[in-house]
Amino acid sequence: MSGQVKDSVQNKTEEENVKYPILQIKGLFQARYLLGMTKNVDVNGLHHEDGSGTDNNFMLKYMRVQVRAQISKRTEVVVLANLADFKNDPKSRVLENAYLKYTFNPKLAITVGQFRPLFGIEETYPIDIIKSLDWSNQYTEFGKLGWTSFQIGMAATGQLELGEIPFQYAVSVVNGNGKNQVNDNDNGKQYSTRLVFGLSKKYNFNVGLNGGIGEVLGKKVYALGVDFSSLINFDSKWSLDMQLEGKQATNHVLYNSITPEQRLSNPDDYLIRGVYFLPNLRYEINHRNLSAFELSCRYEYLDTNFRVSSNPRQTVTPMFGLEFLKNYGARIQLGVQFDRYKKQIANTSQYNNNLFIVQVQSRF
């Protein structure tokens, strides 16, 4: 018994001797070469009837630096900036994460500032461990709508047990008009929640339910989503990671871009709907110079206005990746992105195209 008391006192003393703040610095470099393989379509997917446009490009995608400061046992402050965005207008781009998080216990943590509100699988991991070329098309569109990507607001998150089922939750309220904004653009806010149920420990099978309501420029908006994820380890070397996600929401950005005289009165007449499936097969090599290789192929379906003027986009992105350092410390990816539209529209980005990609990255 005396030994147990000693250990307890020793652990408490060690905690008291921790000196704050504890700083952690991380970074990500990611660059790519793009080659357009469709005549008169540039590397950004824009069709040029006159034959202009750039069909090949070296591109610096990310040069991220993250500083995490643990300022007490329960409090941390995180700052994340993408220095590569200085090539654009940096006013509303460079700063990505900037938040304070206070953790009461595993069941409750409060986050305040600029962060990524949890609304789907893709919010749960950073770009540097993504299994495909980039975020899904639906993630990008829902970011424009204020439900995903970097937003300003506050959130409550936590994890607990429902009987024998692991359960995670997130509740967020955000301005909904993107990152690095001086003010909200109206008096409305967007409220969202995410619930995740761990249904199988053996197959790492999780089901996520996402929902949101809000008000944008005096109009009610909503968003819904469901997702499934699983990680199957066949043996010590082979594994299969699978993600399936679908979402639907009011496309209030499209609604507000149309003049009042020309648009329908109800914003819910303008709806966006998307789904994607991403399987990723991984083989652990653990050679001195090569850690693993991966094969993935993401299928996406996205229609940004399926009720009024439907023109769905289907995207298939097969990728092959070589990992040279563990945990994606260094890797090279090769792939092709195939985009197909139901109706092609000249001189717009709604045009069929094929894009070849070589991407290199290092995280530190």
Side-chain angles (χ1 to χ4, degrees):
M1 180 67 71
S2 61
Q4 291 178 355
V5 173
K6 275 186 177 181
D7 288 343
S8 177
V9 172
Q10 183 178 353
N11 290 338
K12 186 175 180 181
T13 303
E14 288 176 355
E15 288 180 3
E16 291 174 349
N17 289 336
V18 174
K19 293 184 179 180
Y20 296 101
I22 301 172
L23 295 179
Q24 182 185 58
I25 299 176
K26 293 183 177 181
L28 168 69
F29 168 83
Q30 190 181 89
R32 57 179 61 162
Y33 173 73
L34 307 173
L35 176 63
M37 299 186 294
T38 304
K39 185 179 180 181
N40 297 337
V41 178
D42 67 21
V43 292
N44 296 312
L46 181 62
H47 177 252
H48 299 263
E49 207 166 32
D50 60 2
S52 62
T54 302
D55 63 6
N56 69 94
N57 184 39
F58 286 103
M59 177 185 183
L60 178 60
K61 182 70 174 177
Y62 290 102
M63 184 59 247
R64 274 181 165 171
V65 177
Q66 174 179 290
V67 179
R68 178 179 177 269
Q70 189 78 32
I71 60 177
S72 75
K73 180 182 177 182
R74 301 181 184 276
T75 310
E76 64 177 309
V77 176
V78 176
V79 176
L80 174 65
N82 181 19
L83 305 183
D85 270 337
F86 276 112
K87 64 181 180 290
N88 304 298
D89 179 3
K91 183 172 63 174
S92 63
R93 299 181 66 93
V94 176
L95 184 64
E96 296 185 332
N97 274 333
Y99 64 81
L100 179 146
K101 183 177 181 180
Y102 185 86
T103 303
F104 293 91
N105 52 54
K107 297 179 181 179
L108 177 63
I110 302 295
T111 302
V112 179
Q114 182 168 289
F115 57 94
R116 296 165 64 197
L118 294 177
F119 198 85
I121 302 173
E122 291 176 285
E123 295 287 6
T124 62
Y125 54 80
I127 185 67
D128 42 320
I129 62 171
I130 203 164
K131 307 297 183 182
S132 189
L133 168 68
D134 214 331
W135 305 113
S136 69
N137 298 325
Q138 73 168 240
Y139 177 87
T140 302
E141 293 299 322
F142 273 69
K144 297 174 186 176
L145 298 174
W147 301 111
T148 62
S149 193
F150 302 98
Q151 307 291 334
I152 300 174
M154 66 181 299
T157 56
Q159 52 187 345
L160 40 98
E161 300 271 336
L162 292 178
E164 296 183 354
I165 299 177
F167 170 72
Q168 300 175 36
Y169 75 90
V171 180
S172 307
V173 53
V174 298
N175 289 336
N177 60 327
K179 60 184 179 181
N180 302 331
Q181 303 297 321
V182 177
N183 293 307
D184 195 358
N185 58 352
D186 64 358
N187 288 320
K189 294 293 180 283
Q190 291 175 230
Y191 305 85
S192 64
T193 184
R194 173 169 172 77
L195 309 175
V196 182
F197 304 88
L199 300 184
S200 173
K201 187 175 181 180
K202 180 179 180 181
Y203 299 110
N204 297 285
F205 180 64
N206 297 313
V207 176
L209 303 176
N210 311 283
I213 58 173
E215 185 176 297
V216 177
L217 298 175
K219 298 291 186 179
K220 301 295 183 182
V221 299
Y222 80 91
L224 295 171
V226 61
D227 54 75
F228 307 90
S229 63
S230 178
L231 174 60
I232 302 173
N233 293 300
F234 299 110
D235 54 34
S236 61
K237 292 184 177 293
W238 288 97
S239 62
L240 177 64
D241 186 333
M242 292 180 289
Q243 301 171 9
L244 175 64
E245 184 167 7
K247 291 195 182 86
Q248 178 173 303
T250 309
N251 194 340
H252 55 82
V253 171
L254 174 61
Y255 172 81
N256 289 313
S257 70
I258 304 171
T259 59
E261 297 78 17
Q262 295 180 319
R263 71 190 180 198
L264 300 174
S265 59
N266 187 354
D268 285 341
D269 286 325
Y270 300 88
L271 293 177
I272 180 173
R273 177 183 290 170
V275 64
Y276 77 83
F277 176 59
L278 174 58
N280 182 75
L281 183 65
R282 179 179 175 87
Y283 179 72
E284 301 281 351
I285 298 174
N286 295 323
H287 187 268
R288 182 180 58 185
N289 297 316
L290 184 61
S291 177
F293 75 77
E294 294 184 330
L295 290 169
S296 71
C297 186
R298 182 169 62 196
Y299 169 78
E300 304 180 61
Y301 177 96
L302 180 70
D303 197 335
T304 58
N305 189 16
F306 69 85
R307 274 189 176 173
V308 177
S309 181
S310 177
N311 190 21
R313 172 187 181 182
Q314 297 187 73
T315 304
V316 178
T317 312
M319 298 290 295
F320 171 71
L322 294 172
E323 181 181 326
F324 297 97
L325 297 175
K326 286 189 175 297
N327 299 318
Y328 298 106
R331 69 171 173 171
I332 295 177
Q333 291 174 285
L334 295 90
V336 182
Q337 180 174 293
F338 302 98
D339 271 318
R340 297 294 180 268
Y341 289 87
K342 184 177 180 180
K343 295 175 290 187
Q344 297 189 81
I345 304 175
N347 298 313
T348 73
S349 58
Q350 296 184 46
Y351 206 89
N352 296 347
N353 71 89
N354 305 320
L355 182 68
F356 173 74
I357 310 107
V358 180
Q359 181 167 280
V360 296
Q361 79 166 44
S362 177
R363 60 197 302 241
F364 55 91

